[in-house]
Amino acid sequence: MDSGMDFETLRRAMQENYEQPEGPARNARAEQLLAEAEKLNIPLAVIEALGHQLKVYNYSSEKDRMFVPFARLLRMWDERPEDFDEYETHSLHWVFKWVSSGMIGQPHIPLASIEKWLGEMEHRYRLAGHSERAVRSTEFTVARSIGDMARAERAYTAWLAADRDRMADCHACELHDQGWWRAERGADAEALELWRPVLEGEYTCAHEPHAVLASSLLPLLRLGRLDEARAHHLRGFRLVRPMESMRGAYADHVEFCALTGNEARALELLAERPAYFTDSGEPRSRMDFLAVVALLADRLTALGFGTQDVPGPAGRTWTASELAAHARVEALLLAGRFDERNGTAYVSGRVRRRMDQRPLVERLPLGVRSARAVTAPVRPVPAPAAATGPDLPALLTEARRLSESLHPESVTAWAAVAEALGDGELSPRDRAEMTDHRAMGLGPEGVELFARAAELYEEAGDPGEALATRARGAYVLALSGRSKEALAAVSEPYELVLALFAEGGTGVRQAASVLVGRARILLQRVQEAAETNGAGDGSKVLAAAETAARELLALAEPEAGNDLLVAARAAEAQAMLGMLAAHAQDAERAAELLTRAAEAFVAAGLPWFAVEYEARLAGLARHLGDAEAAERAARAALEHGAPFMEATGQAQLHLQLAETLGATGRFGPAADHALEASHWADEGGEGATLGAWARHQLGGFLLRQGRWAEAAVVLESVLPELDARTHGDGAVVQTRWWLGDCLTELGEHREAAEHWLRAAEIARRWPEQHDHAMLAHLAAEALGHAGLDSEAEQAYERAGDLWRSLGNVHGLIRALRARAWLVVRADRVNGADDADSTDDGGDREAAGLDAARELMSTAVRACEAAEPEDDGARELLVTELAHTHRQFGDLVARSVSDDADDDAIRALFEEALAHIALAVSGFLSLGEDALHSRTGAELAAGRLEADLEHPGRAAARARAVLTAYAGHDDADETVTARRAEAERLLRATEPAE
């Protein structure tokens, strides 16, 4: 505890405490500071300490403790109002609103007492000459909380009709309550329109737009404005997350997740705030929180997760079903206490309705992955009814139809036949086809079944299909990494089918099926060779594969119009040739062939076979710089594949389209597809790999739209998932880089610096050091904005050394200039802190200025010594030098201390003027492009001339500015401002000429 604290030290300590995070630690410190205030024997000190204590209690989980300091303050006011200064008088009346409305959230306080305090507030406001606006707003809060809707409507009308004065809540808070009332009355669109100025940042305060963002979630969902709802959740939750007092808004976010298929995220939110289950300082917000906990836990139980462990009150473990029962009971008990106090059933009814809500959206991807998986329980699959009579024939007919049309669901259809068959009999042909499709469904594990299917085709008298099935079996060997064995296995079916086809013993479709199997195996060998050695035109394996594909095309293409399967084989032959062209580095030929193949599949009514090649085509088109073709192919792949692909395939297609759109600057649609990609990757069990990459991309797309808060949430969530071995160092660095950009825009400079420094630590290991230098420079800027001058100076020094080693004179100069400003600022601050010490503060400031001069001089020399490669580079150096002289002059002029004598001041101003004059000359040589920079320097020089008592020179500089802007557009704000400043300078100096 502080000892010997004077009043000013006490005030600083209270301000520092108020800036700490909300919570018990801040409250405890406020109590200590009140004890210190009482030692001073200064009534105003006690008044300020009591006010501080009341404020921190109000913005914490101990809201019920604010009534005691308020009662003491009110007694002190009634006894000695002269002890209160103007600010504390205002504060006392201001917090009357907190106390009067806060009582309604405490069920132990009788309604009569609340009405008495409301009357007391009205009386005191009238005596103080305040409008009744704040009184009517508080009355509205009381009435709506007890369910007296008629009175609430009257108070609402009176509130809006009353004049705004100093006691009215800020615009943001008023609009929040007004919008809440409209939403409560079923006017969601009106509510959102009322909230618009808050959401757009026109009106803000310490707790807005936090609360408005939370309140807007359900209205947006009800109106079907899902993208906005998602954005408000991401943006709003980030704001309320660190604020202990906003349990009600936090509950709104949990509720939103429970109603949008994001139960796993809702559980994470519960886990972050275990104290919210039990903190009793504000029973109303605890009741609201427990109501949405019950909603979530009931939802989980209904989905079959009742036995899953979930976060709950400390002291024991909880399953979802246990938590549901506990939270419901606790919420209703609290509601019952309020209703008993209010004499109505309103609160209980409201709580029940909230707990019993049904989901508003089945699935709303958020772009953040929950680390707490909600794992679906294993449920027994009901046994199918025995297929008797017409059921089996119907299943057979459907299976034959699907397999004849080469439909992706044919494997499932034949599995249904097998399941329904039981002990029944099928013809050898049907049994062969059923076994064949079962093998297809097993992939590399179906080799033996393919052999059995071939035997069954032989028994059915179809030797050609038997050979085709053997070829399929050989291909799955290749897929399992046994391509050499596969090639040997396919050689006999290949030779036999050609002989059989030549004799007329089988048709084109069977021969083509064998040839396609062989060509696939050879293509697989090309891909394996490329992975091992790299592919090149003329390689033996490449030539063999191309020969096989052309042989297939020559066989199938003439008959493609007569048989669907043959058409598919011809199209695949084109696709194979395209892929081989890509391996041979002929991208244009590859794109042409893949386009032809995809179009052939679609024309044949087989769009699902086009997906793989459309996806490859999209990548090739991007490589060739054909953005339109890339987008067209990516969209076609998604359209054709979406109905049939597994979740991971869906993710890949969405991500490819996202990257294609992002490459052309369409970041909004790109973000939509990256969001879908992240969702499908999670669904497919690839959340930590493919999903993390999709979220990384999503964060970048959101950032490029200026959606800083949303981007920050997504990037913060993905950072723990990114792994250098899986995603690469570059992805980790880029994510931290983007996060630093976002946090800077959000004003969180210290956190931005941390991410940039950690990214720089990774980048320092890279051979190319430009990113390392840039990240160090950005970190230095952020540290400076955060007030960490010493750390910023070190970071700038590091960045400067890196820029120098890279030969980047512009980066070096900017780092040197920034260091100079930091040195001067640090010495002035240190001088002020040590003003009462025996050290000579003036000597210290002089030493600091000398160090800053040397840094600026080094920057000037570096600029002058640089050798530009061309006229453009020379112009950039002239610009850099002019800016350096301008900053040099400003730095010297601003270094004048308050106690400097006239001669010292004059010397510094003349030194500053010399540098700024050089800046003017530099900018003048650059012409119109540097006009604003030149006039700004000209005016700075004019002000110095005036201070040095050279009115004629000052006036001349003012006229130069006015002349420079003659004929320029008055709509340009800079032009208008510079003209006005020049005219003021002219008026101030001309009479003295």
Side-chain angles (χ1 to χ4, degrees), residues 10-26:
L10 174 70
R11 281 174 163 164
R12 285 199 299 271
M14 288 191 291
Q15 181 59 38
E16 290 170 3
N17 189 49
Y18 193 69
E19 292 169 359
Q20 297 303 305
E22 297 176 350
R26 187 171 75 157

Side-chain angles (χ1 to χ4, degrees), residues 828 845-846 849-850 853 888-897 900-916 944 948:
R828 293 199 69 158
E845 287 188 20
L849 179 57
D850 286 343
R853 279 193 184 103
F888 202 159
D890 286 344
L891 181 146
V892 172
R894 295 179 193 179
S895 68
V896 174
S897 62
D901 59 38
D902 290 346
D903 289 342
I905 293 172
R906 187 171 191 84
L908 289 171
F909 279 1
E910 287 176 346
E911 180 186 353
L913 180 59
H915 285 292
I916 294 178
L944 285 170
L948 288 166

Side-chain angles (χ1 to χ4, degrees), residues 52 121 135 137 217 238 344 383 394 427 494 633 642 697 722 731 746 778 794 809 811 823-824 846 858 872 891 897:
H52 172 65
M121 175 184 173
V135 176
S137 172
L217 295 172
R238 194 171 186 279
T344 68
S427 70
Y494 169 68
Q697 295 281 50
L722 290 175
L746 295 170
L778 288 170
Q794 291 175 18
V809 67
V823 166
V824 169
T858 303
L891 181 146
S897 62

